[in-house]
Amino acid sequence: MADLEQPGISEEERASRQFWIDRTRANDSWAKKALKPIGVLLTSHQANRPFLKASVESHAKLGYWITLAYDSYVDPTWEVIDHNQFMPAKDILDKVNLFFIPTYQTWGGPLYPYFWLLKWGVQAMSNFEYIYCANADFVLEKPEGFVDLFNLLGDADIMTSGPDRDDPPSANTAGFIAKTKSLIEIVKHLEAHLVPWENYEKHTQRIGNMEGRLGWAIKDLGLKQVRVNPPLEDMFRQPGNGTWYDLLGFRHIHAELNYAYRNKKIPPPLKYLDERYLGAHDFNHIKQYEETGDLKVLENWWEK
């Protein structure tokens, strides 16, 4: 502030200096989040875009640094690529503090791409003492409950949203909170059993999918894990169950939408769905149902 108090400067110069100070100090609105002990890692891909806006907006209410790790499916062998067809929209990216896309991969299924999102996400956020990680098609209806949920971790290494199992080991990757130093060791364990192909082939029959791999990593490393009241099943298709829902309002909008469509249930609220990326069939029927409350509208939407 001494620059503003120097004698003899003109009002025009003083205003110019104040403008620069104000602009520079404005960076604290996001930069100070890097000094907090907890960071948020959201993992996503282009198929999640109908749910990504609501997920990022609800997680932003936590007030922590947000890293968005994104698997875009953009194949570099395509001669012409319009990245706007695959990327998150500007209003979504404006709410995250770090955005990255790992190398394109040809693996079928979510195991391999999720590993790379987690590996580089944890590495980029290694300055945080704890990392909260979630798939970016989940929303938080009660972000104010995060402190209560975090406190359940205590001195443990990791707590997932559940369900977790012991035989064979399995830990849900939908959401988890962990000490960063423990996550770094978990990622090393995952990599040693996945990369290169020979390691995947050697271990896959024993440890299976990513949930199994996370469970085995926790067991093999001897990490301390907190178990919570789990949801009804791994995918959180039906909201309203488990500790993470009770405290955080943790809802899997993508799974809820698919479950409602296939099982003749009420779809999730339209406020959690992004019209820009949701199909017109889904959007129009859900909108009409919310306006009328008439279940007959959904009869034309439900899977036949």
Side-chain angles (χ1 to χ4, degrees), residues 1-303:
M1 290 303 189
D3 289 344
L4 300 177
E5 299 170 358
Q6 288 181 352
I9 64 172
S10 67
E11 289 304 315
E12 182 180 4
E13 175 63 18
R14 192 186 311 277
S16 176
R17 294 183 183 187
Q18 184 66 64
F19 178 70
W20 181 88
I21 291 172
D22 291 344
R23 288 191 62 184
T24 304
R25 292 185 66 180
N27 291 314
D28 280 355
S29 64
W30 60 268
K32 288 170 69 174
K33 294 176 182 177
L35 305 178
K36 295 184 177 183
I38 305 171
V40 175
L41 174 61
L42 298 178
T43 60
S44 192
H45 48 79
Q46 62 161 310
N48 266 356
R49 288 190 298 174
F51 323 101
L52 183 57
K53 184 174 187 291
S55 181
V56 169
E57 287 180 346
S58 66
H59 280 91
K61 293 177 181 178
L62 295 174
Y64 297 124
W65 179 280
I66 294 180
T67 295
L68 177 59
Y70 193 76
D71 179 45
S72 73
Y73 309 158
V74 174
D75 188 335
T77 64
W78 299 341
E79 293 185 6
V80 178
I81 296 175
D82 179 2
H83 284 82
N84 291 312
Q85 296 179 5
F86 308 97
M87 298 287 284
K90 178 184 181 299
D91 59 327
I92 297 171
L93 292 177
D94 285 345
K95 290 183 172 61
V96 304
N97 306 110
L98 174 63
F99 174 76
F100 72 86
I101 302 176
T103 299
Y104 169 80
Q105 51 77 34
T106 56
W107 190 284
L111 169 63
Y112 201 67
Y114 178 82
F115 163 74
W116 291 106
L117 298 181
L118 184 63
K119 174 182 172 66
W120 295 120
V122 170
Q123 193 67 36
M125 302 179 71
S126 59
N127 60 302
F128 294 99
E129 186 177 355
Y130 298 92
I131 292 176
Y132 157 73
C133 181
N135 296 329
D137 49 2
F138 279 81
V139 301
L140 311 182
E141 291 193 316
K142 308 171 189 175
E144 68 278 2
F146 181 80
V147 173
D148 290 335
L149 181 67
F150 176 79
N151 287 339
L152 296 179
L153 181 66
D155 65 349
D157 295 289
I158 188 168
M159 173 180 64
T160 85
S161 56
D164 302 314
R165 301 177 179 87
D166 293 316
D167 187 21
S170 177
N172 203 349
T173 60
F176 55 82
I177 303 170
K179 292 178 179 177
T180 304
K181 64 179 182 180
S182 301
L183 268 184
I184 291 172
E185 294 305 309
I186 286 173
V187 168
K188 290 178 181 178
H189 187 282
L190 296 175
E191 187 169 49
H193 293 76
L194 183 62
V195 181
W197 166 261
E198 289 77 12
N199 286 353
Y200 168 80
E201 192 173 33
K202 179 180 178 180
H203 299 287
T204 188
Q205 293 301 320
R206 178 175 69 92
I207 59 180
N209 62 9
M210 183 53 73
E211 285 70 26
R213 290 167 185 271
L214 179 58
W216 275 107
I218 294 169
K219 180 178 180 178
D220 289 347
L221 294 169
L223 299 179
K224 185 176 181 179
Q225 182 181 8
V226 170
R227 299 287 182 90
V228 298
N229 183 29
L232 293 178
E233 39 76 38
D234 301 58
M235 293 298 292
F236 290 79
R237 295 179 181 91
Q238 301 176 68
N241 305 281
T243 299
W244 278 51
Y245 177 82
D246 293 341
L247 296 180
L248 200 57
F250 195 62
R251 293 182 60 175
H252 192 185
I253 304 305
H254 194 170
E256 287 184 31
L257 181 68
N258 290 341
Y259 182 81
Y261 172 69
R262 293 170 179 154
N263 295 276
K264 296 180 172 55
K265 304 294 183 180
I266 306 298
L270 201 61
K271 65 181 179 179
Y272 296 140
L273 303 170
D274 194 334
E275 182 181 4
R276 295 170 295 186
Y277 308 111
L278 191 68
H281 176 76
D282 293 328
F283 182 85
N284 291 334
H285 281 89
I286 297 173
K287 183 174 185 294
Q288 188 177 357
Y289 167 71
E290 289 196 357
E291 291 173 345
T292 64
D294 187 353
L295 282 175
K296 291 184 178 179
V297 172
L298 294 179
E299 291 178 2
N300 296 322
W301 174 68
W302 288 325
E303 183 178 44

